[in-house]
């Protein structure tokens, strides 16, 4: 994969770095004894700027701040980082990535080059290079020249933030959106049973489908996979998002901008006048938005949306607390799902592992002694974390008449919870245990995500 900044592409001055950033000099280890804590195996790799032959720079060529930074970008794509932190310490520049929600140290560099690196970031992000004593916010778009077989994004959008610290300026780059191939519903991690239920609800073509989960739980990715499945020629699909996370052909995507008074509720009103068959509302934040979305679903259209709650029953109580009427909730919903993300064990360094007895005891989890567990040892492919990519855990409730009655009767949350537990095909925890049994993730990950 080659890295090209959008402006470079336009000016025909694209950088053509090779695809081997931040080499790791250590030899690959053969799988050996079971590991206990793969996430603690952080490797600090270094790239020297000096003209010396090192394992990181075998040719002895000088690494310029621009080259070094491009390598950081390529490495962040390779490891699928959501944030890049370039932080000045007293004696070195530290590069840290947030991968799968967790921070890890990925590189150190000569502090004498720190100012040049920050200047380069500022220039390409449209920030003032002269201002060093105040925080600044900017934006950066990178484009990648992909080759056949590449699975990475073709472009990345970053929000760039700099801040003065006692050691110099720190820069944090957050990935806002990627131009990448969308996932299909088969790829998000739905089990066969849950996939069947989800498709059944989706195929109805009307009503509200609500995804619940905390921020970063993969809700939007799943809704996009659903949109991808119904993105047919005979349908008008419109989205209201904050921010737009994926760009999809044939779907009208609109980014709300509360700073200029364009929010979810007035955006939704305007969207309805665009004659859509399907609307995706990034998030239901207030009664007004919820009310408009549900009334739209009641006239035979499909609404996909999300709510920041931990559980299906929690979502329902939140909507009632917002002031949405019981009768609207009872009649508008066709399905509610809860989602979590767990990290997948790195396939390159997966070995058999021992059960996390302390954690199991703490949360009263039993695991059959003859059922094998796996974990990643940490290798160059996964940046030493033992994990690579993430996969969703799901719990999906198809709304039926019994459930409508429970809502209309105003039964307490305990009754809702009991109903959900008995009527979902599988709970988040059951889904997680299946993933552990099939060696896709660890028991620790499932416990952390679901309990
Ligand atoms: Zn690995």
């Amino acid at each position: 994969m080659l890295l090209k900044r959008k402006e470079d592409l336009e000016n025909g001055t694209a950088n053509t770095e090779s695809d081997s950033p931040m080499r790791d000099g250590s030899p690959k280890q053969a799988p050996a004894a079971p590991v206990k804590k793969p996430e603690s195996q952080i490797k600090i790799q270094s790239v020297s700027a000096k003209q010396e032959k090192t394992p990181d720079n075998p040719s002895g060529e000088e690494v310029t701040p621009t080259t070094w930074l491009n390598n950081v970008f390529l490495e962040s794509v390779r490891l699928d980082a959501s944030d890049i932190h370039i932080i000045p310490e007293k004696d070195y520049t530290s590069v840290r990535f947030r991968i799968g929600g967790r921070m890890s140290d990925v590189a150190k560099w000569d502090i004498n080059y720190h100012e040049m690196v920050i200047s380069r970031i500022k220039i390409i992000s449209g920030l003032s290079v002269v201002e060093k004593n105040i925080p600044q916010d900017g934006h950066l778009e990178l484009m990648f020249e992909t080759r056949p077989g590449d699975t990475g994004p073709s472009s990345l959008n970053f929000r760039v933030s700099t801040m003065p610290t006692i050691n110099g300026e720190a820069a944090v780059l957050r990935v806002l959106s990627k131009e990448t191939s969308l996932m299909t519903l088969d790829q998000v991690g739905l089990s066969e049973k849950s996939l069947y239920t989800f498709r059944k609800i989706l195929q109805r073509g009307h009503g509200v489908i609500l995804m619940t989960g905390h921020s970063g739980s993969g809700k939007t990715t799943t809704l996009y996979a659903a949109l991808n499945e119904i993105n047919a020629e005979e349908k008008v699909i419109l989205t209201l998002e904050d921010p737009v996370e994926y760009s999809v052909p044939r779907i009208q995507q609109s980014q709300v901008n509360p700073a200029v008074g364009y929010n979810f509720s007035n955006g939704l009103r305007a969207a309805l006048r665009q004659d859509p068959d399907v609307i995706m509302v990034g998030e239901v934040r207030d009664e007004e938005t919820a009310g408009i979305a549900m009334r739209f679903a009641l006239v035979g259209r499909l609404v996909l949306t999300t709510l920041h709650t931990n559980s299906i029953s929690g979502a329902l109580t939140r909507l009632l607390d917002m002031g949405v009427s019981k009768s609207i909730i009872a009649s508008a919903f066709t399905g509610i799902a809860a989602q979590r993300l767990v990290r997948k064990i790195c396939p390159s360094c997966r070995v058999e592992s021992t059960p996390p007895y302390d954690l199991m005891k703490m949360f009263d989890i039993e695991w059959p002694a003859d059922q094998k567990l796996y974990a990643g040892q940490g290798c160059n492919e996964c940046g030493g974390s033992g994990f690579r990519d993430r996969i969703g855990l799901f719990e999906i409730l198809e709304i039926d008449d019994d459930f409508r009655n429970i809502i209309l009767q105003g039964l307490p949350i305990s009754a809702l919870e009991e109903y959900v537990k008995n009527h979902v095909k599988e709970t988040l925890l059951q889904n997680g245990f299946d993933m552990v049994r099939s060696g896709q993730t660890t028991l620790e990950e499932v416990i952390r995500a679901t309990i």
Side-chain angles (χ1 to χ4, degrees):
M1 184 187 283
L2 301 175
L3 173 66
K4 289 186 175 186
R5 202 159 57 84
K6 196 181 181 195
E7 291 78 359
D8 290 338
L9 268 186
E10 283 158 2
N11 300 335
T13 56
N15 191 309
T16 51
E17 296 304 329
S18 70
D19 188 12
S20 57
M22 297 188 189
R23 284 173 209 86
D24 176 16
S26 60
K28 267 196 177 170
Q29 288 178 346
V35 275
K36 283 190 188 120
K37 287 184 184 167
E39 59 262 61
S40 67
Q41 298 188 351
I42 291 166
K43 280 181 195 167
I44 301 277
Q45 300 164 336
S46 65
V47 176
S48 169
K50 300 193 181 87
Q51 295 184 15
E52 292 167 359
K53 286 189 181 182
T54 69
D56 299 313
N57 185 16
S59 59
E61 283 171 20
E62 184 173 6
V63 180
T64 65
T66 303
T67 308
W68 182 81
L69 196 57
N70 284 346
N71 285 345
V72 169
F73 287 135
L74 287 168
E75 188 70 350
S76 79
V77 171
R78 190 178 74 80
L79 294 172
D80 199 20
S82 62
D83 301 76
I84 302 171
H85 293 228
I86 298 178
I87 311 294
E89 298 293 342
K90 202 160 171 288
D91 305 317
Y92 59 90
T93 294
S94 163
V95 178
R96 311 182 74 208
F97 290 167
R98 188 177 292 281
I99 305 162
R102 309 251 184 120
M103 293 301 297
S104 51
D105 294 354
V106 287
K108 278 181 181 177
W109 207 33
D110 193 332
I111 190 71
N112 295 318
Y113 290 78
H114 186 78
E115 246 188 87
M116 283 184 262
V117 169
I118 296 292
S119 294
R120 172 74 186 154
I121 293 172
K122 286 175 156 182
I123 290 165
I124 60 180
S125 311
L127 302 178
S128 163
V129 179
V130 188
E131 293 283 6
K132 293 179 167 47
N133 301 317
I134 52 163
Q136 295 187 59
D137 286 315
H139 183 259
L140 169 64
E141 183 172 0
L142 293 173
M143 298 192 75
F144 301 94
E145 193 179 88
T146 47
R147 296 176 183 141
D150 279 354
T151 52
S154 57
S155 75
L156 275 183
N157 264 303
F158 291 97
R159 185 186 66 205
V160 181
S161 151
T162 64
M163 185 145 190
T165 76
I166 51 165
N167 296 324
E169 283 181 283
V172 174
L173 293 86
R174 156 156 290 195
V175 176
L176 283 184
S177 66
K178 328 179 182 188
E179 187 104 10
T180 181
S181 51
L182 286 180
M183 281 195 179
T184 61
L185 277 179
D186 307 273
Q187 292 170 328
V188 294
L190 286 158
S191 67
E192 211 173 305
K193 288 180 244 174
S194 294
L195 184 61
Y196 177 80
T197 313
F198 200 105
R199 284 207 163 115
K200 190 174 158 199
I201 299 165
L202 199 60
Q203 287 309 320
R204 289 206 176 128
H206 66 88
V208 178
I209 300 177
L210 178 72
M211 294 292 307
T212 73
H214 48 72
S215 175
S217 63
K219 305 184 293 285
T220 311
T221 307
T222 304
L223 288 187
Y224 267 110
L227 286 181
N228 200 14
E229 192 147 311
I230 51 176
N231 188 5
E233 203 182 320
E234 68 266 24
K235 286 199 167 75
V236 174
I237 302 177
L238 210 144
T239 72
L240 280 178
E241 300 168 72
D242 183 19
V244 170
E245 289 180 35
Y246 300 90
S247 128
V248 194
R250 290 216 313 273
I251 293 184
Q252 295 178 46
Q253 296 174 274
S254 186
Q255 185 160 322
V256 297
N257 186 357
V260 297
Y262 178 31
N263 55 33
F264 280 117
S265 62
N266 59 26
L268 196 50
R269 276 205 192 84
L272 299 188
R273 294 191 287 273
Q274 296 276 312
D275 186 29
D277 299 286
V278 182
I279 282 194
M280 183 180 102
V281 188
E283 192 193 334
V284 176
R285 287 180 190 165
D286 52 74
E287 191 271 333
E288 206 184 354
T289 313
I292 305 168
M294 288 183 200
R295 278 188 286 276
F296 180 67
L298 288 175
V299 296
R301 311 293 165 88
L302 180 63
V303 177
L304 305 176
T305 190
T306 75
L307 197 58
H308 281 217
T309 54
N310 277 337
S311 63
I312 294 176
S313 44
L316 289 161
T317 28
R318 171 78 65 81
L319 288 166
L320 291 167
D321 286 349
M322 274 183 197
V324 183
S325 82
K326 282 186 232 159
S327 59
I328 287 192
I329 294 178
S331 42
F333 279 99
T334 50
I336 308 179
Q339 180 172 1
R340 300 284 187 278
L341 280 183
V342 289
R343 293 181 293 170
K344 284 171 85 175
I345 297 171
C346 170
S348 308
C349 61
R350 197 180 80 140
V351 291
E352 217 175 291
S353 153
T354 46
Y357 293 113
D358 290 351
L359 211 56
M360 286 160 64
K361 198 172 165 198
M362 199 182 289
F363 293 103
D364 206 14
I365 303 261
E366 289 188 2
W367 194 257
D370 57 346
Q371 183 70 61
K372 283 180 183 172
L373 289 165
Y374 297 91
Q377 278 194 309
C379 69
N380 195 32
E381 290 297 306
C382 55
S385 70
F387 293 99
R388 194 126 167 73
D389 299 330
R390 287 187 290 177
I391 194 156
L393 301 182
F394 295 88
E395 162 174 316
I396 300 180
L397 182 74
E398 185 184 358
I399 307 292
D400 59 12
D401 287 341
D402 290 346
F403 192 71
R404 292 194 176 96
N405 287 333
I406 290 186
I407 297 283
L408 289 172
Q409 285 166 31
L411 290 180
I413 186 160
S414 55
L416 285 177
E417 279 169 356
E418 190 62 25
Y419 183 90
V420 172
K421 210 170 112 191
N422 294 329
H423 286 78
V424 291
K425 293 265 176 10
E426 59 189 338
T427 62
L428 286 168
L429 196 60
Q430 287 162 349
N431 189 192
F433 285 165
D434 278 346
M435 298 270 189
V436 175
R437 269 190 286 273
S438 61
Q440 295 193 73
T441 191
T442 64
L443 205 50
E444 291 93 322
E445 276 293 292
V446 171
I447 293 172
R448 185 185 60 80
T450 58
I451 293 182

